[in-house]
Amino acid sequence: MSVINFKTNIYDYLETLPIFTFQRLFQKPATCLAIFRLLPAIGRQIVMSILYVENPISLKDIQSWVYKDGHKKLQEALHKLSKLHILEETPEKGLIVNSTFRLEFKNALSGGGEHQSFGLPCATVDKHKVDIAFLDHFASTQWEAILHYMVGTTMTKRPSRGVLNLLQKSDLMNSTASESGLHITNKGFQFLLQDVNTQVWAFLLQYLDMAEMLKMDLVEVLNFLFQLGSLELGQDYSVETLTETQQQMLEDLGDYGIVYRRKKGSRRFYPTRLATTLTSGTSALVTSLSKKETGTAASSAMIAAAEESHDEGGFLILETNYRVYAYTESPLQIAVLNLFIQLKSRFPNMVSGVITRESVRNAFLNGITADQIISYLQTHAHPQMRKRAPLLPLTVVDQIRLWEMERNRVEDKAAYLYKDFNVQADFDAAEKYAKDLDVLLWSNSKQRKMVIAQEAHETLRTYIKRRLAGNRDTG
């Protein structure tokens, strides 16, 4: 199975695209606005400062806009704008905004253009109209079903086949020959540590890679994703302006909780908060979701995971005796802890457990590293723990790393066992030959046994046959 490289940043993906792809992307005002909103603050300032300037501006003039200590950030912003083909360099070494981007971004700001790239609101009333609370509940339910499946809980419905395929293709989960089903990987655990907005983009980036493999029009896929980030929450939109590729995407995005569609053939769809916050940053998503009553417990896994990722206080207490106390009701957070902690007790607002050699070893078998476990404990440490230095007990940190080193001492390697030598001299000669080739992994002279690396098997076998043949000729 081919594994797609795991990405979490939309910038990383966009920077790999050729200039002709950007020329097509820039033809949609909604896409120009979305890319602009994803830029760092200083990048947005540069674009707005020269958007309406028709003549190229020298780099020296742009550098004069910031203090000396800001030149490094300025250079980073200029590099990003260049990689995204928003800024272009003229033969006179001046900088100017890409002409297509300039025109369509102006249309986005002024409401011009005829592309309806910001969606077409439905003209008729929806007989089955849904409200924002319903959309938040739908988004939460769909997204947390994916996260719960990744950590192995069965409290939510099983994700669709398309989601499972994407989890496996992106290497967030994999299958093993000895066990049935999918299991979380190192990348999957790292994925769970991210905030919700980063998780959604990471998932969508894997979807983009899949779309390329399926020969879908990449520009149409990207345009629709960027369009979703500019739509109004609670408004229903017509599918009439969508291309065939984009209509095909609706079913997949519904599985992720990004859009809601009452049934497959419906002529309208609703963007959820996961969609409308795609290009507005994580904080908007977390704050908005946490303020809504979604019909589930206030400690919804999706909300809790997002809030706790950004909570400077945290909810974990780790003691020197390896005991862990987690002040959380989130089923998702509890399931994540269960990946490397042996849980002992559960109370209405707290769970307790202990870090053991066996519990950590199980995490290592799933591809989780010691550094990831330690990082998770640090990120979610309780305010009381933050009052002391070091933050985590060194005895526990060192022991987790020692358990990982202990596991890594044994290395699997394909090899061949040689035995049943009739004459000691033949064994000694073969052993010496293997040592000279630096392929001897183990030997026991008394038992006349040795193990050699797999790649040297044919060479050593040929040597032994030649020696034995020579001995017969001499005899």
Side-chain angles (χ1 to χ4, degrees):
M1 181 194 72
S2 60
V3 176
I4 299 171
N5 291 331
F6 180 66
K7 309 180 189 75
T8 61
N9 194 323
I10 182 62
Y11 289 129
D12 297 339
Y13 185 86
L14 290 175
E15 289 180 356
T16 65
L17 301 179
I19 186 169
F20 62 81
T21 300
F22 278 97
Q23 288 298 115
R24 287 185 62 200
L25 284 172
F26 289 161
Q27 291 173 12
K28 297 291 184 180
T31 297
C32 294
L33 179 61
I35 294 176
F36 173 80
R37 293 167 71 182
L38 289 169
L39 293 172
I42 192 168
R44 296 196 297 270
Q45 184 65 40
I46 292 171
V47 172
M48 291 305 298
S49 297
I50 65 176
L51 181 65
Y52 290 91
V53 178
E54 300 293 336
N55 298 320
I57 297 180
S58 68
L59 177 60
K60 186 176 180 180
D61 287 340
I62 295 178
Q63 289 175 335
S64 68
W65 297 348
V66 299
Y67 293 111
K68 270 190 176 181
D69 56 0
H71 278 186
K72 183 178 179 181
K73 288 186 176 181
L74 175 65
Q75 287 302 121
E76 291 173 353
L78 289 172
H79 177 73
K80 190 172 293 296
L81 289 169
S82 175
K83 294 284 285 185
L84 297 178
H85 302 286
I86 295 174
L87 279 189
E88 297 176 340
E89 188 174 357
T90 65
E92 298 78 21
K93 300 299 181 182
L95 296 175
I96 194 168
V97 177
N98 176 285
S99 58
T100 307
F101 181 89
R102 177 202 302 274
L103 174 63
E104 299 305 338
F105 186 48
K106 284 181 180 179
N107 286 334
L109 297 178
S110 63
E114 300 177 355
H115 300 289
Q116 294 182 326
S117 69
F118 290 95
L120 178 64
C122 288
T124 58
V125 177
D126 186 0
K127 296 178 181 179
H128 306 278
K129 188 171 180 60
V130 298
D131 58 15
I132 293 177
F134 175 90
L135 294 173
D136 283 346
H137 175 58
F138 172 78
S140 175
T141 302
Q142 293 295 103
W143 189 251
E144 70 181 25
I146 298 173
L147 302 183
H148 277 289
Y149 182 81
M150 290 181 65
V151 296
T153 62
T154 56
M155 62 178 298
T156 57
K157 68 176 183 179
R158 181 184 175 91
S160 68
R161 182 179 298 179
V163 171
L164 298 181
N165 186 43
L166 191 58
L167 287 171
Q168 191 169 10
K169 287 289 186 181
S170 60
D171 201 29
L172 297 179
M173 302 188 77
N174 62 22
S175 57
T176 59
S178 59
E179 298 182 55
S180 60
L182 298 178
H183 305 275
I184 192 169
T185 63
N186 176 282
K187 290 181 180 179
F189 186 73
Q190 190 64 40
F191 175 86
L192 291 174
L193 299 182
Q194 308 302 317
D195 59 77
V196 178
N197 192 263
T198 303
Q199 287 178 344
V200 173
W201 265 121
F203 218 69
L204 290 176
L205 290 174
Q206 310 312 313
Y207 180 78
L208 285 167
D209 282 334
M210 289 282 288
E212 285 190 270
M213 293 170 59
L214 296 173
K215 306 300 182 183
M216 295 170 68
D217 190 321
L218 183 61
V219 173
E220 291 185 2
V221 174
L222 278 168
N223 277 334
F224 189 46
L225 294 179
F226 287 136
Q227 179 188 99
L228 289 172
S230 303
L231 300 184
E232 181 183 347
L233 183 64
Q235 173 67 53
D236 53 334
Y237 292 86
S238 172
V239 302
E240 292 178 9
T241 59
L242 303 183
T243 66
E244 185 177 342
T245 295
Q246 292 167 346
Q247 292 187 36
Q248 179 185 339
M249 292 172 62
L250 285 174
E251 186 174 353
D252 296 327
L253 298 180
D255 290 338
Y256 313 152
I258 294 175
V259 298
Y260 169 74
R261 204 177 180 194
R262 194 173 69 87
K263 57 182 181 180
K264 187 175 181 180
S266 177
R267 303 304 297 168
R268 68 182 77 224
F269 70 94
Y270 290 83
T272 70
R273 203 178 299 272
L274 288 179
T276 58
T277 54
L278 275 175
T279 57
S280 62
T282 304
S283 58
L285 174 64
V286 177
T287 304
S288 300
L289 272 177
S290 61
K291 288 180 179 178
K292 296 290 179 182
E293 290 297 326
T294 63
T296 58
S299 59
S300 159
M302 180 179 173
I303 299 170
E307 287 180 327
E308 288 162 6
S309 294
H310 290 273
D311 183 359
E312 293 184 0
F315 62 100
L316 291 177
I317 290 180
L318 174 63
E319 297 182 336
T320 54
N321 59 1
Y322 301 88
R323 292 199 67 84
V324 177
Y325 300 92
Y327 292 90
T328 179
E329 300 173 2
S330 164
L332 178 60
Q333 292 290 8
I334 293 171
V336 171
L337 291 172
N338 196 42
L339 291 174
F340 61 91
I341 293 174
Q342 183 181 345
L343 298 180
K344 296 287 190 180
S345 307
R346 183 166 182 173
F347 303 96
N349 65 339
M350 184 191 78
V351 293
S352 66
V354 61
I355 296 176
T356 66
R357 180 177 180 272
E358 188 62 27
S359 67
V360 171
R361 182 174 178 272
N362 288 335
F364 295 155
L365 290 174
N366 283 326
I368 300 169
T369 66
D371 284 340
Q372 286 179 329
I373 294 174
I374 294 166
S375 174
Y376 185 86
L377 293 170
Q378 290 174 333
T379 301
H380 300 292
H382 193 277
Q384 291 297 321
M385 290 192 63
R386 296 183 182 278
K387 294 179 181 179
R388 62 191 189 192
L391 179 59
L392 301 179
L394 290 179
T395 52
V396 180
V397 172
D398 290 343
Q399 186 60 66
I400 292 174
R401 288 203 167 101
L402 285 172
W403 281 329
E404 183 178 51
M405 291 171 62
E406 177 186 88
R407 178 176 180 271
N408 292 338
R409 282 187 307 178
V410 180
E411 180 182 354
D412 292 335
K413 191 169 185 179
Y416 279 88
L417 171 65
Y418 281 70
K419 60 180 182 177
D420 299 331
F421 287 86
N422 294 325
V423 181
Q424 183 68 39
D426 290 337
F427 173 82
D428 292 340
E431 181 185 41
K432 182 179 183 303
Y433 187 72
K435 285 180 179 179
D436 292 341
L437 294 177
D438 196 25
V439 295
L440 183 66
L441 303 178
W442 173 86
S443 66
N444 187 314
S445 182
K446 289 184 179 180
Q447 297 179 7
R448 297 179 185 174
K449 293 180 180 180
M450 65 178 176
V451 176
I452 66 160
Q454 183 184 42
E455 60 270 18
H457 171 56
E458 290 298 330
T459 303
L460 186 63
R461 186 172 66 171
T462 301
Y463 170 79
I464 293 174
K465 283 183 177 180
R466 190 168 61 246
R467 177 181 170 81
L468 293 177
N471 289 342
R472 285 194 296 270
D473 293 341
T474 304

